[in-house]
Short mmCIF file of all heavy atoms in Angstrom, two decimals:
data_model
loop_
_atom_site.label_atom_id
_atom_site.label_comp_id
_atom_site.label_asym_id
_atom_site.label_seq_id
_atom_site.Cartn_x
_atom_site.Cartn_y
_atom_site.Cartn_z
N ARG A 677 -9.30 -35.29 3.54
CA ARG A 677 -10.22 -36.36 3.92
C ARG A 677 -10.03 -36.75 5.39
O ARG A 677 -11.00 -37.01 6.10
CB ARG A 677 -10.02 -37.59 3.03
CG ARG A 677 -10.41 -37.37 1.57
CD ARG A 677 -11.87 -36.92 1.44
NE ARG A 677 -12.22 -36.70 0.05
CZ ARG A 677 -11.99 -35.58 -0.62
NH1 ARG A 677 -11.39 -34.57 -0.02
NH2 ARG A 677 -12.37 -35.45 -1.88
N ILE A 678 -8.79 -36.80 5.84
CA ILE A 678 -8.54 -37.13 7.25
C ILE A 678 -9.11 -36.04 8.16
O ILE A 678 -9.74 -36.32 9.18
CB ILE A 678 -7.03 -37.30 7.48
CG1 ILE A 678 -6.51 -38.52 6.69
CG2 ILE A 678 -6.72 -37.47 8.97
CD1 ILE A 678 -5.01 -38.70 6.77
N HIS A 679 -8.88 -34.77 7.77
CA HIS A 679 -9.41 -33.67 8.57
C HIS A 679 -10.94 -33.70 8.59
O HIS A 679 -11.57 -33.47 9.64
CB HIS A 679 -8.92 -32.33 7.99
CG HIS A 679 -9.51 -31.14 8.67
ND1 HIS A 679 -10.67 -30.53 8.22
CD2 HIS A 679 -9.12 -30.44 9.77
CE1 HIS A 679 -10.96 -29.51 9.00
NE2 HIS A 679 -10.05 -29.43 9.95
N ASP A 680 -11.56 -33.99 7.44
CA ASP A 680 -13.01 -34.01 7.36
C ASP A 680 -13.59 -35.16 8.17
O ASP A 680 -14.71 -35.07 8.69
CB ASP A 680 -13.45 -34.13 5.89
CG ASP A 680 -14.95 -34.06 5.72
OD1 ASP A 680 -15.53 -33.02 6.09
OD2 ASP A 680 -15.55 -35.03 5.24
N PHE A 681 -12.83 -36.24 8.31
CA PHE A 681 -13.30 -37.38 9.09
C PHE A 681 -13.38 -37.04 10.57
O PHE A 681 -14.33 -37.42 11.26
CB PHE A 681 -12.37 -38.58 8.86
CG PHE A 681 -12.84 -39.85 9.52
CD1 PHE A 681 -13.81 -40.64 8.92
CD2 PHE A 681 -12.31 -40.25 10.74
CE1 PHE A 681 -14.24 -41.81 9.53
CE2 PHE A 681 -12.74 -41.41 11.35
CZ PHE A 681 -13.71 -42.20 10.75
N PHE A 682 -12.37 -36.31 11.06
CA PHE A 682 -12.34 -35.97 12.49
C PHE A 682 -13.07 -34.67 12.81
O PHE A 682 -13.57 -34.49 13.92
CB PHE A 682 -10.89 -35.88 12.97
CG PHE A 682 -10.18 -37.20 13.00
CD1 PHE A 682 -9.26 -37.54 12.01
CD2 PHE A 682 -10.44 -38.12 14.01
CE1 PHE A 682 -8.62 -38.77 12.04
CE2 PHE A 682 -9.79 -39.34 14.04
CZ PHE A 682 -8.88 -39.67 13.05
N GLU A 683 -13.12 -33.74 11.85
CA GLU A 683 -13.78 -32.45 12.06
C GLU A 683 -14.76 -32.18 10.92
O GLU A 683 -14.54 -31.31 10.08
CB GLU A 683 -12.73 -31.32 12.12
CG GLU A 683 -11.75 -31.43 13.27
CD GLU A 683 -12.41 -31.11 14.61
OE1 GLU A 683 -13.50 -30.49 14.60
OE2 GLU A 683 -11.83 -31.47 15.65
N PRO A 684 -15.86 -32.94 10.86
CA PRO A 684 -16.78 -32.79 9.72
C PRO A 684 -17.47 -31.43 9.65
O PRO A 684 -17.92 -31.02 8.58
CB PRO A 684 -17.80 -33.91 9.96
CG PRO A 684 -17.74 -34.17 11.43
CD PRO A 684 -16.32 -33.94 11.82
N ASN A 685 -17.57 -30.72 10.77
CA ASN A 685 -18.25 -29.43 10.79
C ASN A 685 -17.29 -28.25 10.73
O ASN A 685 -17.69 -27.11 10.91
CB ASN A 685 -19.11 -29.32 12.05
CG ASN A 685 -20.21 -30.37 12.09
OD1 ASN A 685 -20.82 -30.67 11.07
ND2 ASN A 685 -20.44 -30.93 13.27
N HIS A 686 -16.02 -28.54 10.50
CA HIS A 686 -15.01 -27.48 10.49
C HIS A 686 -14.22 -27.57 9.19
O HIS A 686 -13.17 -28.18 9.12
CB HIS A 686 -14.09 -27.62 11.70
CG HIS A 686 -13.09 -26.51 11.81
ND1 HIS A 686 -13.44 -25.23 12.19
CD2 HIS A 686 -11.75 -26.48 11.60
CE1 HIS A 686 -12.35 -24.46 12.22
NE2 HIS A 686 -11.32 -25.21 11.86
N LYS A 687 -14.77 -26.98 8.12
CA LYS A 687 -14.13 -27.05 6.81
C LYS A 687 -13.03 -26.00 6.69
O LYS A 687 -13.15 -24.88 7.19
CB LYS A 687 -15.16 -26.80 5.70
CG LYS A 687 -16.39 -27.69 5.77
CD LYS A 687 -16.06 -29.15 5.51
CE LYS A 687 -17.33 -29.99 5.50
NZ LYS A 687 -17.03 -31.43 5.30
N ILE A 688 -11.96 -26.38 6.03
CA ILE A 688 -10.86 -25.45 5.75
C ILE A 688 -10.87 -25.17 4.25
O ILE A 688 -10.58 -26.06 3.44
CB ILE A 688 -9.50 -26.04 6.17
CG1 ILE A 688 -9.52 -26.36 7.67
CG2 ILE A 688 -8.37 -25.07 5.85
CD1 ILE A 688 -8.24 -27.00 8.17
N PHE A 689 -11.21 -23.94 3.89
CA PHE A 689 -11.43 -23.63 2.48
C PHE A 689 -10.16 -23.78 1.66
O PHE A 689 -10.17 -24.36 0.57
CB PHE A 689 -12.00 -22.22 2.33
CG PHE A 689 -12.15 -21.79 0.90
CD1 PHE A 689 -13.12 -22.37 0.10
CD2 PHE A 689 -11.32 -20.84 0.34
CE1 PHE A 689 -13.27 -22.00 -1.22
CE2 PHE A 689 -11.46 -20.46 -0.99
CZ PHE A 689 -12.44 -21.05 -1.77
N TRP A 690 -9.03 -23.24 2.15
CA TRP A 690 -7.80 -23.29 1.37
C TRP A 690 -7.34 -24.73 1.16
O TRP A 690 -6.79 -25.07 0.11
CB TRP A 690 -6.70 -22.47 2.03
CG TRP A 690 -6.21 -22.99 3.35
CD1 TRP A 690 -6.61 -22.60 4.58
CD2 TRP A 690 -5.21 -24.01 3.55
NE1 TRP A 690 -5.94 -23.32 5.56
CE2 TRP A 690 -5.07 -24.17 4.96
CE3 TRP A 690 -4.43 -24.78 2.69
CZ2 TRP A 690 -4.19 -25.09 5.51
CZ3 TRP A 690 -3.53 -25.70 3.24
CH2 TRP A 690 -3.42 -25.83 4.64
N LEU A 691 -7.59 -25.61 2.16
CA LEU A 691 -7.22 -27.02 2.01
C LEU A 691 -8.12 -27.70 0.98
O LEU A 691 -7.65 -28.48 0.14
CB LEU A 691 -7.33 -27.73 3.35
CG LEU A 691 -6.90 -29.20 3.39
CD1 LEU A 691 -5.44 -29.34 2.95
CD2 LEU A 691 -7.10 -29.77 4.79
N SER A 692 -9.41 -27.39 1.00
CA SER A 692 -10.33 -27.92 -0.01
C SER A 692 -9.97 -27.41 -1.40
O SER A 692 -10.07 -28.14 -2.39
CB SER A 692 -11.77 -27.54 0.34
OG SER A 692 -12.16 -28.08 1.58
N PHE A 693 -9.55 -26.15 -1.46
CA PHE A 693 -9.16 -25.55 -2.74
C PHE A 693 -7.97 -26.30 -3.34
O PHE A 693 -7.97 -26.67 -4.51
CB PHE A 693 -8.82 -24.08 -2.53
CG PHE A 693 -8.44 -23.35 -3.79
CD1 PHE A 693 -9.41 -22.68 -4.54
CD2 PHE A 693 -7.13 -23.32 -4.24
CE1 PHE A 693 -9.08 -22.01 -5.70
CE2 PHE A 693 -6.78 -22.65 -5.40
CZ PHE A 693 -7.76 -21.99 -6.13
N LEU A 694 -6.94 -26.53 -2.53
CA LEU A 694 -5.76 -27.25 -3.01
C LEU A 694 -6.09 -28.71 -3.32
O LEU A 694 -5.54 -29.29 -4.27
CB LEU A 694 -4.65 -27.18 -1.96
CG LEU A 694 -4.03 -25.79 -1.73
CD1 LEU A 694 -3.05 -25.83 -0.57
CD2 LEU A 694 -3.34 -25.29 -3.00
N ASP A 695 -6.98 -29.29 -2.54
CA ASP A 695 -7.43 -30.65 -2.78
C ASP A 695 -8.04 -30.77 -4.17
O ASP A 695 -7.63 -31.60 -5.00
CB ASP A 695 -8.44 -31.03 -1.70
CG ASP A 695 -9.13 -32.37 -1.97
OD1 ASP A 695 -8.72 -33.10 -2.88
OD2 ASP A 695 -10.08 -32.69 -1.23
N VAL A 696 -9.00 -29.92 -4.47
CA VAL A 696 -9.70 -29.98 -5.76
C VAL A 696 -8.77 -29.64 -6.91
O VAL A 696 -8.75 -30.33 -7.95
CB VAL A 696 -10.92 -29.02 -5.74
CG1 VAL A 696 -11.57 -28.97 -7.12
CG2 VAL A 696 -11.92 -29.44 -4.69
N ALA A 697 -7.97 -28.58 -6.75
CA ALA A 697 -7.11 -28.12 -7.84
C ALA A 697 -6.05 -29.15 -8.20
O ALA A 697 -5.89 -29.52 -9.38
CB ALA A 697 -6.46 -26.79 -7.47
N MET A 698 -5.32 -29.66 -7.22
CA MET A 698 -4.22 -30.58 -7.50
C MET A 698 -4.73 -31.92 -8.00
O MET A 698 -4.16 -32.51 -8.92
CB MET A 698 -3.37 -30.77 -6.24
CG MET A 698 -2.69 -29.50 -5.75
SD MET A 698 -1.60 -28.75 -6.99
CE MET A 698 -0.33 -30.00 -7.08
N ALA A 699 -5.81 -32.44 -7.41
CA ALA A 699 -6.35 -33.72 -7.85
C ALA A 699 -6.86 -33.63 -9.29
O ALA A 699 -6.66 -34.55 -10.08
CB ALA A 699 -7.47 -34.16 -6.92
N SER A 700 -7.50 -32.51 -9.63
CA SER A 700 -8.05 -32.37 -10.98
C SER A 700 -6.96 -32.18 -12.03
O SER A 700 -7.20 -32.42 -13.21
CB SER A 700 -9.01 -31.17 -11.02
OG SER A 700 -10.07 -31.35 -10.11
N LEU A 701 -5.77 -31.75 -11.61
CA LEU A 701 -4.68 -31.49 -12.56
C LEU A 701 -3.80 -32.70 -12.80
O LEU A 701 -2.82 -32.60 -13.54
CB LEU A 701 -3.82 -30.33 -12.06
CG LEU A 701 -4.42 -28.93 -12.17
CD1 LEU A 701 -3.53 -27.90 -11.47
CD2 LEU A 701 -4.63 -28.53 -13.62
N MET A 702 -4.12 -33.85 -12.20
CA MET A 702 -3.25 -35.02 -12.34
C MET A 702 -3.07 -35.41 -13.81
O MET A 702 -1.97 -35.73 -14.25
CB MET A 702 -3.80 -36.19 -11.55
CG MET A 702 -2.93 -37.44 -11.63
SD MET A 702 -3.57 -38.84 -10.70
CE MET A 702 -5.03 -39.23 -11.65
N GLY A 703 -4.15 -35.39 -14.58
CA GLY A 703 -4.06 -35.75 -15.99
C GLY A 703 -3.15 -34.81 -16.76
O GLY A 703 -2.41 -35.22 -17.66
N LEU A 704 -3.21 -33.51 -16.42
CA LEU A 704 -2.33 -32.53 -17.08
C LEU A 704 -0.88 -32.78 -16.72
O LEU A 704 0.01 -32.72 -17.59
CB LEU A 704 -2.74 -31.12 -16.68
CG LEU A 704 -1.89 -29.99 -17.28
CD1 LEU A 704 -2.04 -29.95 -18.79
CD2 LEU A 704 -2.29 -28.65 -16.67
N PHE A 705 -0.61 -33.07 -15.45
CA PHE A 705 0.77 -33.36 -15.02
C PHE A 705 1.31 -34.58 -15.77
O PHE A 705 2.46 -34.58 -16.22
CB PHE A 705 0.81 -33.61 -13.51
CG PHE A 705 0.44 -32.42 -12.67
CD1 PHE A 705 -0.14 -32.58 -11.43
CD2 PHE A 705 0.68 -31.14 -13.14
CE1 PHE A 705 -0.47 -31.49 -10.66
CE2 PHE A 705 0.34 -30.03 -12.36
CZ PHE A 705 -0.24 -30.21 -11.12
#
Side-chain angles (χ1 to χ4, degrees):
R677 293 303 179 276
I678 295 175
H679 175 268
D680 184 61
F681 185 81
F682 291 103
E683 297 288 342
N685 298 320
H686 185 72
K687 307 294 184 182
I688 301 178
F689 176 70
W690 66 264
L691 184 58
S692 298
F693 182 92
L694 292 174
D695 171 9
V696 174
M698 297 301 293
S700 300
L701 287 173
M702 181 180 67
L704 179 64
F705 295 151

